[in-house]
Structures are given as C-alpha cells and as structure tokens.
Amino acid sequence: MITLEDWALIRRLAAEGVPKARIAQRLGISRTTVIKAVSSGGPPRYERTPKPTSFAVFEPRVRELLEQTPDMPATVLAERVGWTGSIRWFSENVKRLRPEHCLVDPADRLTWAPGDAAQCDLWFPPRRIPLEDGTARLLPVLVITAAHSRFITARMIPTRKTEDLLLGSWELLQQLGRVPRRLIWDNEPGIGRGQRRAEGVAVFMGTLATKLVLLPPRDPESKGLVERRNGWFESSFMPGRSFTSAGDFNDQFTDWLVKANTRVVRTIKACPADLVEADRSAMLPLPPVPLHLGWRNRIRLGRDYYVRLDTNDYSVDPSVIGRIVDVTADLERVRVGAQGRLVTEHTRIWARGTTVTDPAHVEAAAWLRKQFQQHRAAAAAAGEQPTKDLQRDLGDYDRAFGITGDLSTGEQGVC
C-alpha cells in the first residue's frame, strides 16, 4: 500500500500528463498501483477487519446493568460482571455505552422579557476582609442581576441569615428603583428551600407584590446570568485590589459596577445601562409603605446590661434594667428602645463574638451601684435587720402541732 505522499505525487504527475508507466518506473511501483491511485476517489486508508474484543463477551451483561442503574461506576460494573482485564479498557467501553442508557436533560435557551425577572445569588470574594477585632474572614456579597438588561446591583453583607439577606435585597431594589415581577433564588437557606420559606420571606415578597422562584436542584441554566457575573467579578474586579474593611470593599465595588454596567454584553450586544430603563418601565413600583426589616427582639434587660445581636453583645443604658426593651438592627446600626423612646444606639459590628461597651454606660452603672449600696447601708444603720426577722422560735412549731412537755427529759404530751 502506498503512502499518502506517494498517492498525492502520482495524482499530480498524472494531471501533468506524465504516462502511467513512467510514473511507475520513477516511483518503483507497479503500473496497476498507479492506475488505482489515479482512479481512486480519496486518499489511501488502512482498514482492519473488525474482530471481537475481550469486552464483547461482557457487553450484554454491562448493558443490562446500565439499563437498571445508568450511573453505576465502571469499577462496580467490572466487579459485577467478573472482569479481570485492564480497568482502563473496561472504563473506556463503559463510557461508550453509558450515554445510550442515561436519560437526557435538554437545556432550553431562555428569553427574558423586560421587567420579568431578576436573578439573585451570593458571591464569596476569594479574599478575607479585615474586621473590627483585627480578624479577617470571607464575607458574602449579595448580587441581583436584572435578567433582561443584565444590569447589576450588589453589596457585601455581614451574614447569610434571613434578616441580612432581606435588608440587602431591599437596599439593592431601592438602588434599582423598581421591583422585578420575579426574584429567582437557588435554594439559599436564608431564603428558602423547596416548598419551605424562611421566616419573614413570604411577608417580604407579599409587600413587594413580587413572586419568589426557588429553583430545583441541578438546574444551573435557570440562574446562569448571575453566576457568570460572579465569575466575572473574580477575573475583572478582584485582581490587584486590597481592602481595609467591608465598607471599603463596598465603596470600591460600587464604583466599579458603574463602569461594569456600561460595558457591552456579548449575548445581547448592548450595555446594561442602555437597557435598564426599558427593564424598569415594565417592573413593579416600590411599595408605598416602609418595610419593617432587620433584626428584631424584645427582652427584659437584666442586671448584666447587655443585649445580644447575632453573636455580639452591646451595652445598654443601665437605667432601664428590669424593663422590657426592643432591640432592632439593620446592616449598619443597632438600636435599643424602651417605651417608645431610643435608649441606646451602636454601630453594628461585623466581627463575631465581640463585646461592645459604651464608657458612659459603665459610669452610669457604677453610679447606680453606689446609690444602691448607700441605700442598704442607711437601712442597716436605721436598725433594719431583715435577717433577724426571718428567724423563728422552734417552740412556735411545737405549739402549732400540739406538742407539749420538756423534750430534754423525754416528757411530752399532746394537747
């Protein structure tokens, strides 16, 4: 059999008019080979007559097992059918057969109408953010992407808990200026999973008059817009940046998003900033009533004049010890009120396990403690002996139960 180069040379010489006998003589091959090369419809190709392989004996049983369990690992299949040869060769054959027995899950191309939906997700920047107590940790960034215009709003939040997720969502929707008709989430525990909604989420969605869509497992196509942007943040925003705090991150990220929303998106061939007005015009208006969001708790303030929010403790004016106080917090501030008036306000700490103390509260507690001790000392000096009043003659119990006589001599009786 001639090589591909000889075949090409024979056809070129024949096309130039060189006699076939001379071509055969020049290349040292037979004239018949030259005739076949000239008349062939394609280049020479080596073909081996197919023969049964060592896998052929096991193939029917492998197909039977794949029919019952399409995702059974190749190593388990080899054990079940008694294969003793190369596991690599066996795996290659299983890989060839498996698609014939697996169910197909087509992915449709989605189209997004103006104002119809926004995709929501949490992005964790691959860099630890310095916190107030000197530690650093990974913090979540809430991202909302309008599906039609691809317009992005985002900000870093302290936790993944429902209170912070709803606070962040409301802030980003206010930046957008309108409410998409659907908010799409991918089973975030702080929002809900399956048919379950986290506490407060249903009220939040009802107040916005929007619909919450929780995607089923293994459905990445329905939330691909926001997830692709998360990857874009890591490749375009993060390189070469450093952050001194969560506030510094939000400032830098907000400035960068202004530019990011003016870049042309390849799939829609337009800038999000140019399409966002059409998106907004089809969205729902913001609710006319203020939303009561954030952390809320009502407790009786104990002698330890601190309240706990998430994992941090905040001091409270000790003048309200023993009273019912209302603890509220948003992403920035922690407030404590009593009987409708504000008692204490702190900057919210994003670190964990931290105690925040106002020096004024310590001074007030010291003064109240001194007043209390002076009152006790004055009461003792006036002859008040509360401990003596609690003592009682044991004879009173004898008379109450009708026991008489001298117990020291063993004589007793009953009245």
Side-chain angles (χ1 to χ4, degrees):
M1 185 175 181
I2 60 175
T3 63
L4 182 61
E5 291 78 8
D6 290 341
W7 174 83
L9 179 59
I10 291 171
R11 293 177 67 88
R12 181 175 65 80
L13 293 175
E16 293 175 354
V18 179
K20 296 181 177 61
R22 185 174 298 177
I23 296 174
Q25 182 180 6
R26 177 177 174 178
L27 297 179
I29 57 178
S30 68
R31 188 168 175 271
T32 303
T33 302
V34 175
I35 295 174
K36 289 182 178 180
V38 173
S39 60
S40 64
R45 196 172 43 176
Y46 173 74
E47 295 182 358
R48 174 189 288 180
T49 304
K51 296 181 179 179
T53 65
S54 57
F55 182 79
V57 179
F58 300 89
E59 183 171 334
R61 178 57 179 159
V62 171
R63 287 185 177 274
E64 182 181 343
L65 291 173
L66 288 176
E67 188 68 30
Q68 300 171 1
T69 312
D71 58 348
M72 184 179 293
T75 52
V76 178
L77 285 169
E79 181 183 352
R80 297 285 176 84
V81 301
W83 174 265
T84 57
S86 169
I87 189 62
R88 190 174 200 176
W89 168 244
F90 185 86
S91 299
E92 290 176 359
N93 282 276
V94 171
K95 186 177 181 180
R96 172 178 57 85
L97 297 178
R98 198 184 296 278
E100 302 177 18
H101 302 275
C102 291
L103 297 177
V104 179
D105 181 20
D108 295 329
R109 293 199 173 187
L110 302 177
T111 57
W112 305 98
D116 173 50
Q119 297 184 6
C120 311
D121 196 18
L122 289 181
W123 167 53
F124 285 85
R127 191 162 304 164
R128 296 183 180 274
I129 305 299
L131 300 177
E132 300 87 352
D133 61 350
T135 63
R137 65 188 182 96
L138 299 178
L139 292 173
V141 175
L142 176 60
V143 183
I144 297 181
T145 301
H148 173 73
S149 62
R150 311 304 202 263
F151 191 84
I152 308 168
T153 56
R155 69 151 295 162
M156 181 170 282
I157 58 178
T159 70
R160 299 174 64 177
K161 295 186 178 180
T162 302
E163 293 84 355
D164 290 331
L165 288 174
L166 296 185
L167 283 168
S169 298
W170 174 236
E171 181 175 325
L172 296 183
L173 290 175
Q174 287 180 302
Q175 293 179 16
L176 189 59
R178 305 276 285 184
V179 181
R181 298 179 182 273
R182 294 187 299 155
L183 293 177
I184 301 175
W185 278 92
D186 188 14
N187 286 307
E188 177 63 31
I191 297 297
R193 285 184 173 179
Q195 300 300 319
R196 182 193 66 82
R197 304 291 187 270
E199 184 178 357
V201 172
V203 175
F204 177 73
M205 298 299 169
T207 307
L208 297 179
T210 189
K211 179 181 180 181
L212 173 64
V213 179
L214 295 178
L215 298 177
R218 295 177 294 279
D219 188 19
E221 297 86 1
S222 298
K223 201 165 63 70
L225 294 179
V226 67
E227 291 181 349
R228 283 193 292 272
R229 273 138 192 84
N230 292 349
W232 181 39
F233 299 155
E234 296 189 12
S235 62
S236 297
F237 170 70
M238 292 299 295
R241 293 183 183 267
S242 60
F243 310 101
T244 58
S245 65
D248 181 33
F249 178 95
N250 279 329
D251 291 341
Q252 294 190 44
F253 198 35
T254 300
D255 292 342
W256 182 83
L257 285 177
V258 174
K259 300 177 182 179
N261 283 320
T262 61
R263 297 178 183 177
V264 175
V265 179
R266 179 180 56 83
T267 53
I268 59 176
K269 299 179 177 61
C271 300
D274 296 337
L275 298 179
V276 69
E277 287 305 322
D279 224 353
R280 286 193 183 109
S281 63
M283 292 181 182
L284 302 170
L286 294 172
V289 296
L291 300 184
H292 298 287
L293 300 174
W295 299 78
R296 296 182 178 276
N297 192 18
R298 171 170 283 192
I299 63 171
R300 186 181 299 277
L301 187 64
R303 290 180 58 201
D304 179 18
Y305 48 93
Y306 285 80
V307 294
R308 174 158 295 187
L309 180 80
D310 194 13
T311 62
N312 299 320
D313 294 330
Y314 299 85
S315 66
V316 181
D317 188 344
S319 63
V320 293
I321 287 176
R323 302 181 188 179
I324 299 296
V325 296
D326 296 303
V327 184
T328 61
D330 54 25
L331 297 175
E332 306 296 338
R333 307 293 294 175
V334 177
R335 300 174 179 86
V336 181
Q339 298 178 345
R341 67 182 181 88
L342 181 64
V343 175
T344 300
E345 185 173 4
H346 290 281
T347 299
R348 183 175 174 186
I349 301 299
W350 288 26
R352 302 183 69 80
T354 302
T355 299
V356 181
T357 302
D358 187 338
H361 296 162
V362 178
E363 294 179 5
W367 183 84
L368 290 173
R369 190 179 302 108
K370 182 178 180 181
Q371 293 294 107
F372 178 78
Q373 293 172 350
Q374 289 177 349
H375 174 74
R376 293 188 65 180
E384 297 181 6
Q385 298 179 356
T387 56
K388 185 176 181 180
D389 294 339
L390 295 178
Q391 297 178 355
R392 190 160 188 165
D393 186 4
L394 293 179
D396 293 342
Y397 295 98
D398 295 339
R399 288 185 288 274
F401 289 99
I403 301 174
T404 61
D406 188 356
L407 297 181
S408 61
T409 60
E411 297 178 0
Q412 54 184 341
V414 179
C415 297

